[in-house]
Amino acid sequence: MEFLKDLWGFMRERKKFWLLPIVLFLLLFGVLIVMTSGTAIAPFIYTLF
């Protein structure tokens, strides 16, 4: 959590809010990969791509 606090502080201080959608997309994509790596949902997720 400390990393996220530092990242938010960096973005707020230097007005780099355009980084927020990039970070959120990468986090979402990472969670999607982890969740579908060994589950029964994987074939349904793969059809989206």
Side-chain angles (χ1 to χ4, degrees):
M1 290 306 284
E2 186 69 28
F3 174 72
L4 293 177
K5 285 182 184 178
D6 287 341
L7 183 63
W8 176 248
F10 170 79
M11 288 191 297
R12 192 176 62 203
E13 183 176 323
R14 293 195 169 78
K15 307 290 190 239
K16 303 262 186 207
F17 293 111
W18 56 270
L19 287 172
L20 190 61
I22 297 169
V23 170
L24 289 177
F25 176 76
L26 288 174
L27 285 173
L28 180 68
F29 198 65
V31 167
L32 183 68
I33 289 172
V34 168
M35 295 297 285
T36 61
S37 64
T39 64
I41 302 172
F44 301 110
I45 299 297
Y46 293 142
T47 59
L48 294 176
F49 298 106

